[in-house]
Amino acid sequence: MNIIVTQNYDDLSLKAAKHAAEFINANPGVLICFAAGNTPLGVFRELVDMHKRNEVDLSSVYYTGLDEWVGLGIEDEGSCIKVMHDALYDFVSKENVLMFDGLDPDTEGQCRKAEDWINRHGGIEYALLGIGMNGHVGFNEPRTPDVEGCFTVSLDDTTKSVSMKYFGKELPVTTGITIGWRTLYNSKKVVFLASGKEKASITASSLTGLNTPDIPASLFQNHPDLTVIVDKDAASLIDI
Ligand code: GLP
């Protein structure tokens, strides 16, 4: 595991964007998985700026959504599809992106469609992931089953209460749809991001604590190509 500790969030965003851009430039045609959530928003801002300066061609690779709140669509504030389009995918060729449609009642169909997209592109080459407050990755919640492919999940209470920060109001979300952890683990390169004091405890448990499905992020500790980019605040409890 390669841990990069940055001074602050802006520095984290710049370093992670450079890391992703370098990978995209060297690997045209591959499939990338970017997490939504608040942490990578600065990375996406930097990537779009680099794209505009012709330092990276964001349409030279393909993208898969990581997860979605079942019941929310592109018009809904805080849905992963809206966040990702506003932040990044509106700058990318439409046919290069597949996100889950949280409004489709056929969640099984959504899972099979995403699996087919991932398989058709030869699996995920680069996954940029966040760490949830309960250690979830995508919507692989605590005590996650070892799932290859995609599945629907009953959301953990912590996830439900944290969700307010995305929606700006209380929404009765109960279910998520996500790429399973095994498929994420099989990504060639994995990058984790964490920022802020509130992530310090779960970041330390995820990176240096027990390797356990109780903390899905910890299951990546032995990944053969794992880079962790954390700011000083999120790294404050890691014993490096
Ligand atoms: C959210 C999403 C994840 C995200 C994680 C961390 O609930 N399901 O895709 O990576 O939790 O989010 P944030 O970066 O906002 O802390």
Side-chain angles (χ1 to χ4, degrees), residues 96-217:
N96 288 27
V97 179
L98 183 79
M99 297 284 292
F100 291 112
D101 178 2
L103 289 178
D104 185 351
D106 181 12
T107 50
E108 280 305 305
Q110 284 294 314
C111 287
R112 301 299 86 79
K113 195 170 163 191
E115 287 164 3
D116 181 55
W117 175 256
I118 293 168
N119 293 336
R120 238 181 322 134
H121 290 95
I124 299 166
E125 290 272 326
Y126 186 100
L128 182 80
L129 304 171
I131 303 175
M133 287 301 289
N134 57 4
H136 76 197
V137 177
F139 280 138
N140 291 275
E141 296 281 35
R143 291 163 300 284
T144 186
D146 183 348
V147 172
E148 178 146 19
C150 303
F151 69 124
T152 51
V153 187
S154 290
L155 296 173
D156 185 80
D157 285 343
T158 307
T159 302
K160 287 190 223 165
S161 60
V162 170
S163 73
M164 282 266 295
K165 77 173 177 180
Y166 308 115
F167 310 141
K169 57 182 174 192
E170 211 164 319
L171 285 182
V173 284
T174 57
T175 313
I177 184 165
T178 187
I179 297 178
W181 97 260
R182 175 66 61 182
T183 296
L184 292 173
Y185 189 85
N186 286 341
S187 305
K188 290 247 172 63
K189 217 178 234 310
V190 175
V191 179
F192 270 109
L193 301 181
S195 167
K197 276 245 176 298
E198 67 281 8
K199 287 282 175 78
S201 169
I202 194 64
T203 300
S205 320
S206 300
L207 302 183
T208 57
L210 269 184
N211 189 312
T212 164
D214 290 346
I215 302 175

Side-chain angles (χ1 to χ4, degrees), residues 61-125:
V61 291
Y62 295 89
Y63 303 90
T64 178
L66 169 63
D67 55 6
E68 188 56 275
W69 310 91
V70 170
L72 300 192
I74 195 150
E75 304 290 326
D76 294 303
E77 207 53 54
S79 67
C80 298
I81 191 168
K82 179 165 171 45
V83 167
M84 291 307 298
H85 273 275
D86 289 352
L88 194 70
Y89 295 149
D90 283 354
F91 301 89
V92 171
S93 305
K94 253 203 205 88
E95 58 278 9
N96 288 27
V97 179
L98 183 79
M99 297 284 292
F100 291 112
D101 178 2
L103 289 178
D104 185 351
D106 181 12
T107 50
E108 280 305 305
Q110 284 294 314
C111 287
R112 301 299 86 79
K113 195 170 163 191
E115 287 164 3
D116 181 55
W117 175 256
I118 293 168
N119 293 336
R120 238 181 322 134
H121 290 95
I124 299 166
E125 290 272 326

Side-chain angles (χ1 to χ4, degrees), residues 5-18:
V5 181
T6 68
Q7 275 310 308
N8 51 45
Y9 178 71
D10 288 346
D11 192 22
L12 171 150
S13 301
L14 194 58
K15 285 213 166 62
K18 282 188 176 156

